[in-house]
């Protein structure tokens, strides 16, 4: 049985907030430690984000599935329709609200930790077809990974695999792999290394939705029964069995 909705929403809110705190905070620290060297800053930012994401999935996965991402939740809902699994439409809407609110809160928290304004809208424009294509690739690849792991019974390795994918996608996509509408919105609230101008947000979110459509289509072709595993995305919610003591 899944935990109650309020517990899952709290986990999604806190998890997404801490994820954005890691993204923004490590970007600020990278700018402080490696001023003028964008390549090193990106390395520091990507490593911190990948490690934090893996840890957060381990922490909150057993409660909410550790989506932290509206496109993951939307894919969970879409793929589960045929089999009666995954999120309901009501839960999907609630997840998206909790994730987006958490992302904004996480950006504000990062700013306050580094003695910066809680809200300073980014001036960093990120627009253009090449960046939107990068977001399509990053988002589709992330969803394929998550649901392929769940469908093949390997959801337990999702923390390491998802963290590794996001860390790598920072480097192999032109957009540095936001791949997350909630995180994209949250990053608009910080005028630091990780920021994105509010005017650039709609283009990124639209590209992420396209990535969602591409990924669900490919999952139907590659894993026709992927929806049966929607309840296990991204970490199995089954309660652990108590360890039995060895009989003497």
């Amino acid at each position: 049985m899944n935990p109650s909705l309020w517990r899952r929403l709290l986990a999604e809110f806190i998890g997404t907030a801490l994820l954005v705190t890691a993204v923004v905070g490590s970007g600020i620290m990278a700018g402080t430690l490696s001023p003028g060297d964008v390549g090193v800053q990106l390395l520091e930012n990507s490593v911190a984000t990948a490690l934090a994401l893996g840890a957060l999935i381990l922490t909150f996965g057993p409660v909410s599935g550790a989506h932290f991402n509206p496109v993951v939740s939307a894919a969970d809902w879409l793929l589960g329709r045929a089999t009666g699994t995954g999120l309901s439409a009501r839960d999907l809407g609630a997840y998206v609200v909790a994730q987006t609110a958490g992302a904004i809160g996480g950006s504000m928290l990062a700013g306050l930790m580094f003695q910066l304004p809680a809200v300073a809208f980014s001036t960093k424009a990120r627009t253009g077809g090449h960046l939107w294509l990068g977001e399509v690739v990053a988002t589709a690849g992330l969803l394929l990974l998550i649901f392929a792991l769940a469908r093949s019974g390997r959801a337990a390795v999702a923390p390491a695999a998802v963290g590794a994918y996001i860390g790598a996608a920072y480097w192999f996509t032109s957009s540095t792999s936001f791949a997350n509408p909630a995180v994209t919105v949250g990053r608009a609230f910080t005028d630091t290394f990780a920021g994105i101008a509010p005017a650039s947000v709609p283009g990124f979110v639209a590209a992420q939705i396209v990535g969602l459509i591409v990924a669900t289509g490919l999952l139907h072709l590659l894993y026709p029964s992927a929806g049966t595993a929607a309840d296990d995305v991204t970490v199995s919610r089954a309660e652990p069995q108590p360890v039995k003591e060895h009989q003497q």
Side-chain angles (χ1 to χ4, degrees), residues 86-183:
L87 294 176
S88 66
R90 182 197 67 161
D91 289 2
L92 170 60
Y95 264 51
V96 171
V97 171
Q99 292 156 354
T100 304
I104 295 170
S107 179
M108 296 170 65
L109 176 60
L112 293 173
M113 284 199 303
F114 287 91
Q115 294 187 309
L116 296 173
V119 175
F121 290 110
S122 178
T123 58
K124 184 176 294 184
R126 299 178 189 259
T127 187
H130 65 296
L131 297 180
W132 300 331
L133 178 59
E135 279 301 285
V136 173
V137 172
T139 305
L142 174 64
L143 294 175
L144 285 171
L145 171 64
I146 290 171
F147 285 89
L149 290 174
R151 177 62 186 85
S152 58
R154 295 175 293 164
V157 303
V162 173
Y165 175 84
I166 290 298
Y170 259 81
W171 292 89
F172 73 73
T173 63
S174 57
S175 62
T176 66
S177 183
F178 285 49
N180 184 327
V183 168

Side-chain angles (χ1 to χ4, degrees), residues 5-219:
L5 180 59
W6 75 264
R7 288 177 58 202
R8 288 184 280 141
L9 295 180
L10 180 61
E12 287 296 300
F13 175 84
I14 297 173
T16 310
L18 292 177
L19 173 59
V20 175
T21 300
V23 172
V24 174
S26 63
I28 296 170
M29 182 64 80
T32 302
L33 297 177
S34 307
D37 194 331
V38 177
V40 174
Q41 291 174 14
L42 185 62
L43 176 62
E44 293 162 344
N45 190 208
S46 62
V47 170
T49 299
L51 294 176
L53 179 56
L56 291 170
I57 293 172
L58 285 171
T59 303
F60 297 104
V63 180
S64 67
H67 294 188
F68 312 147
N69 188 335
V71 293
V72 174
S73 299
D76 191 59
W77 174 75
L78 284 169
L79 292 170
R81 290 315 82 217
T83 56
T85 58
L87 294 176
S88 66
R90 182 197 67 161
D91 289 2
L92 170 60
Y95 264 51
V96 171
V97 171
Q99 292 156 354
T100 304
I104 295 170
S107 179
M108 296 170 65
L109 176 60
L112 293 173
M113 284 199 303
F114 287 91
Q115 294 187 309
L116 296 173
V119 175
F121 290 110
S122 178
T123 58
K124 184 176 294 184
R126 299 178 189 259
T127 187
H130 65 296
L131 297 180
W132 300 331
L133 178 59
E135 279 301 285
V136 173
V137 172
T139 305
L142 174 64
L143 294 175
L144 285 171
L145 171 64
I146 290 171
F147 285 89
L149 290 174
R151 177 62 186 85
S152 58
R154 295 175 293 164
V157 303
V162 173
Y165 175 84
I166 290 298
Y170 259 81
W171 292 89
F172 73 73
T173 63
S174 57
S175 62
T176 66
S177 183
F178 285 49
N180 184 327
V183 168
T184 303
V185 171
R187 289 171 67 165
F189 283 74
T190 176
D191 194 20
T192 60
F193 178 79
I196 177 173
S200 299
V201 169
F204 266 55
V205 172
Q208 292 154 3
I209 293 172
V210 172
L212 164 66
I213 295 169
V214 170
T216 52
L218 289 174
L219 284 165

